[in-house]
Amino acid sequence: MNDQSISNQTLPDGLGELGYVDIQKILAKAIHRTFKSGEILIRQGEIGTSMFIIVSGRVRLSISKIDGGEEIVNILQQGDHFGELSLLIGGRRAATATAVMDTTVLEISKRDFYELTKTSPEFSIKLSRTIGKWLLGTQSRKNTRHKLSVIGLVRTTELTGMIVHSIAYFFADKQKKIEVFTDRFSFWELTSHKNSFPVHTLNPAVDNSEFLSNLTAAIKRSDHVFVDLYGGKVTAELLLQCERIWWFIEQNTSTNEAFAGLAKNILTQQPELKNRIQAVWIQPKSYNLAENFLCEIPTNLTAVGCVYSAFNEAVRPADLARLYHMARGVHLGLALGGGGAHGLAHIGVISAFEENGIYFDRVAGTSAGAIIAVGLGAGFKPKRLLSLFNNEMKPPWFMDFFPKASQAHLWALFRFGLIEHRLRKYLKNLRLEQLLMPVHTISVDLISGQAVIRSEGEAVGSVLESINYPVFSKPIWRDGLALVDGGVLINVPSSVLRQQRADYIVAVDVGTKLHPQFGDNTAQTPEKKIKQVGYLSTLNRILEVSTHELAKMHMSESDFLIAPDTSSFPFADFTRGEQLFEVGYAAAQQIMPQLKRHYEDFIETE
């Protein structure tokens, strides 16, 4: 690239406003350098000796964390600059800069940098403005969000090829400017994409310099650029131009083993790709998630589960939404609180969410909320969950003749281990890692007095720990822990999601209001007419009051709260599922305009 090809269009925003003379001064001093994707331009902690202006490509700025990982603080692209702060303060580099794709920069040495600041006052002013904006952003302490500009879509079968197509249209329907580079141009030509987004021919076998030039231009024009490739022909060099690669694998096909071998080979060539490739596991709509899901995915890659309908080959909107959230750089969490039978109101809330296109990327549940959370992660629709509760939790007809039949039935389910049998009918031996999205269940260890957060392990066992209500059952002894209901410490687990780096959290508290009666007594009951309350009822009420107060502390981590009023329903009565569903549904619909505005504004804000 020669100096004549550099113009004010390739200089940083603001610096591009410099006059011709100032631009020529910069070009005279700068050295052109090209870095391959994955190469490091500067390292955190080293002495700063130059600054950089990006001519083409993208650069990731990251800082090292105490645990040995890294935290991305910014993604820079054509026209952005970096490295000047260490020159101005005479210190060490505050971050590591890594090329995200093949990148060309102008490098200005420390000596030339100081000379430019003296001879070009406008240059100094523009730099000061940029640094000032950065400092203001740092002081605001807002989470830095990075949308994925270039996403590789690697298909392996005819079905996954159609799903790649669906993803592009899902993004376009969100009013995003997208462009597609593909090795199957004729396929896209057969679709009516021309009025939606541009499609460009990609031939991986030829020199990729033209591709890189076109890709850089597309990044400037678009919100997201997709690179659509056949898995059998991908190369590490081509994948390195993508910020994230979604590698689609269809359940029970011969491509699974081939993927494992190819991925291993590519990662051996380019370890940098281990942080970019995500295996997207595609399986037919079913309530039996693939038991071989874990063994098919190389251990050094993350995986995303998606479900399609065998009838029309359409992926669930919830799964498309999660991929969209990843691309937009957001991570949304749903916290479901405990509350016995009141937890059935969660199902109505989730039904309202789905009707309005609101989906989440991670869910945490305590007690009854844990059952709903795992069911949601396993792909059960709200109405299906409600049906399961109605079928499995209602007392048999002959118990209608006993006093407090619901409470006695619940006690029997716990005491005789019937809860586990009923859960396992539907969840079998699934592990939390196999669910379609990350799920966390919360229980409490009575020995240490600490909360226990399960993010992996057998799903049924995790739920049993979380719902192990002390009034009805004994502690579960496991691995030196004495485990009981998580509501004892964390009844609405918003704080758990915040620890998992969820950016935006919606909490549902089904116990925000206590039942107005204790036993058969209310605040208005005359003293002479107060009825005595038994030991179990008293202990149950103590736990209700305790979890009610503790929930307030953990809900402070939420960004939005929904609190269905379930106080008129008994804690242990699972016979009122339909009514509790409607209470939750109505509570969610009442605040839906406000929630949708919050939800959409958060996702779409750059």
Side-chain angles (χ1 to χ4, degrees):
M1 186 176 293
N2 55 41
D3 289 353
Q4 285 71 33
S5 66
I6 307 294
S7 69
N8 59 356
Q9 296 301 312
T10 62
L11 292 176
D13 294 339
L15 288 182
E17 299 170 6
L18 295 174
Y20 175 80
V21 174
D22 288 324
I23 292 173
Q24 293 306 309
K25 287 181 181 179
I26 292 173
L27 295 177
K29 300 292 183 182
I31 299 173
H32 286 81
R33 297 189 64 187
T34 297
F35 294 84
K36 288 291 186 180
S37 179
E39 280 194 85
I40 293 177
L41 288 75
I42 60 175
R43 291 185 183 276
Q44 180 180 346
E46 68 183 14
I47 300 296
T49 59
S50 59
M51 71 162 289
F52 301 83
I53 299 172
I54 301 175
V55 176
S56 65
R58 287 163 62 77
V59 171
R60 177 180 73 239
L61 296 183
S62 60
I63 58 175
S64 298
K65 300 192 319 186
I66 297 176
D67 62 6
E70 70 168 4
E71 179 180 348
I72 299 175
V73 294
N74 210 345
I75 298 289
L76 307 179
Q77 59 185 6
Q78 183 183 36
D80 289 331
H81 60 98
F82 61 96
E84 68 277 2
L85 189 58
S86 61
L87 300 183
L88 289 170
I89 64 176
R92 298 181 181 275
R93 302 291 195 189
T96 295
T98 306
V100 176
M101 57 185 290
D102 290 358
T103 299
T104 299
V105 297
L106 299 177
E107 182 175 11
I108 302 173
S109 69
K110 184 175 183 179
R111 183 185 64 182
D112 292 333
F113 172 79
Y114 281 131
E115 184 176 335
L116 284 169
T117 58
K118 292 176 182 178
T119 60
S120 177
E122 286 298 315
F123 176 74
S124 300
I125 291 171
K126 302 306 182 185
L127 286 176
S128 298
R129 287 178 179 172
T130 302
I131 293 171
K133 290 179 181 179
W134 178 81
L135 290 173
L136 285 174
T138 302
Q139 291 175 351
S140 68
R141 295 182 178 180
K142 292 183 178 179
N143 290 335
T144 304
R145 289 168 50 182
H146 313 293
K147 72 175 183 181
L148 301 175
S149 288
V150 184
I151 305 173
L153 304 177
V154 181
R155 64 190 189 277
T156 54
T157 63
E158 182 178 353
L159 171 66
T160 57
M162 295 302 298
I163 288 170
V164 164
H165 178 264
S166 299
I167 290 171
Y169 275 94
F170 186 86
F171 278 62
D173 287 342
K174 293 292 185 180
Q175 307 304 311
K176 295 300 160 200
K177 294 179 181 178
I178 71 167
E179 297 193 26
V180 175
F181 289 81
T182 181
D183 60 1
R184 49 169 182 166
F185 187 79
S186 58
F187 167 82
W188 291 90
E189 278 290 288
L190 293 175
T191 68
S192 56
H193 69 81
K194 293 183 179 179
N195 295 327
S196 302
F197 46 83
V199 175
H200 311 280
T201 300
L202 170 63
N203 186 353
V206 302
D207 179 67
N208 69 348
S209 58
E210 182 179 355
F211 164 63
L212 289 175
S213 176
N214 293 336
L215 184 62
T216 298
I219 291 171
K220 295 287 285 186
R221 294 190 297 260
S222 308
D223 294 298
H224 303 281
V225 178
F226 294 115
V227 181
D228 170 35
L229 296 162
Y230 172 58
K233 296 182 179 180
V234 297
T235 63
E237 184 178 15
L238 190 55
L239 293 179
L240 280 168
Q241 310 314 316
C242 303
E243 191 173 349
R244 181 68 58 84
I245 300 105
W246 290 334
W247 202 307
F248 296 88
I249 309 167
E250 186 180 348
Q251 180 188 357
N252 297 328
T253 66
S254 59
T255 60
N256 300 353
E257 186 176 343
F259 162 73
L262 184 59
K264 182 178 180 180
N265 183 49
I266 287 177
L267 293 177
T268 300
Q269 296 177 44
Q270 290 291 344
E272 164 74 15
L273 287 172
K274 73 178 180 181
N275 297 318
R276 305 193 194 186
I277 296 177
Q278 282 185 304
V280 182
W281 181 267
I282 305 294
Q283 68 171 75
K285 184 177 181 181
S286 168
Y287 293 114
N288 298 316
L289 297 183
E291 294 187 6
N292 61 345
F293 173 67
L294 295 174
C295 65
E296 295 287 352
I297 306 300
T299 56
N300 51 359
L301 297 182
T302 58
V304 181
C306 295
V307 170
Y308 73 94
S309 170
F311 176 72
N312 56 11
E313 298 184 341
V315 180
R316 297 189 318 161
D319 298 328
L320 290 172
R322 282 188 296 120
L323 293 173
Y324 181 70
H325 296 164
M326 290 180 197
R328 300 302 297 170
V330 300
H331 195 73
L332 309 179
L334 176 63
L336 303 177
H342 298 165
L344 296 175
H346 287 312
I347 305 175
V349 172
I350 293 169
S351 181
F353 286 163
E354 293 192 357
E355 283 185 16
N356 288 274
I358 294 178
Y359 300 100
F360 298 88
D361 310 303
R362 184 179 299 270
V363 59
T366 297
S367 196
I371 301 178
I372 308 301
V374 169
L376 191 62
F380 291 95
K381 298 289 288 182
K383 289 291 188 180
R384 169 72 167 163
L385 278 173
L386 181 61
S387 174
L388 296 182
F389 270 97
N390 287 339
N391 293 337
E392 302 296 342
M393 296 299 290
K394 282 185 177 180
W397 64 269
F398 61 82
M399 291 194 72
D400 292 343
F401 301 101
F402 294 88
K404 298 184 178 180
S406 296
Q407 188 168 321
H409 180 246
L410 196 59
W411 179 89
L413 289 177
F414 276 96
R415 282 293 178 175
F416 297 109
L418 299 178
I419 290 283
E420 178 176 2
H421 172 72
R422 297 181 185 204
L423 287 173
R424 212 168 285 282
K425 280 174 59 178
Y426 305 99
L427 298 174
K428 298 182 173 56
N429 295 318
L430 279 176
R431 297 177 62 83
L432 294 178
E433 305 97 300
Q434 290 175 258
L435 302 182
L436 295 169
M437 64 177 167
V439 173
H440 311 280
T441 64
I442 294 85
S443 57
V444 171
D445 172 29
L446 293 181
I447 296 177
S448 66
Q450 300 294 314
V452 176
I453 315 300
R454 300 289 192 199
S455 304
E456 56 185 32
E458 193 188 43
V460 170
S462 300
V463 169
L464 290 173
E465 295 168 0
S466 187
I467 66 174
N468 190 32
Y469 199 62
V471 174
F472 300 115
S473 186
K474 299 176 181 179
I476 294 173
W477 294 88
R478 183 169 293 141
D479 300 326
L481 306 176
L483 300 164
V484 296
D485 193 302
V488 172
L489 281 183
I490 306 178
N491 199 46
V492 181
S494 303
S495 58
V496 172
L497 294 172
R498 194 65 73 190
Q499 291 168 6
Q500 296 293 329
R501 296 179 174 262
D503 303 310
Y504 188 86
I505 298 169
V506 175
V508 185
D509 179 15
V510 294
T512 188
K513 293 183 180 181
L514 292 170
H515 194 285
Q517 290 185 333
F518 173 36
D520 293 325
N521 308 307
T522 68
Q524 290 73 41
T525 302
E527 187 174 346
K528 293 182 179 180
K529 295 186 178 181
I530 289 178
K531 297 180 180 179
Q532 293 300 313
V533 181
Y535 168 77
L536 289 179
S537 295
T538 300
L539 180 58
N540 185 53
R541 185 64 169 185
I542 291 171
L543 288 170
E544 278 191 80
V545 172
S546 173
T547 55
H548 172 74
E549 291 303 313
L550 283 170
K552 295 177 183 178
M553 177 178 66
H554 291 283
M555 282 191 299
S556 64
E557 297 281 359
S558 306
D559 297 289
F560 201 94
L561 173 66
I562 301 174
D565 184 0
T566 61
S567 59
S568 62
F569 295 86
F571 178 88
D573 187 359
F574 282 87
T575 66
R576 312 279 291 279
E578 296 290 345
Q579 296 97 313
L580 283 160
F581 176 96
E582 291 300 328
V583 167
Y585 181 84
Q589 290 289 23
Q590 185 176 1
I591 53 82
M592 191 56 67
Q594 183 184 2
L595 175 58
K596 285 193 73 173
R597 186 169 62 251
H598 277 224
Y599 174 86
E600 292 171 358
D601 287 350
F602 185 82
I603 294 173
E604 304 305 338
T605 300
E606 296 290 348

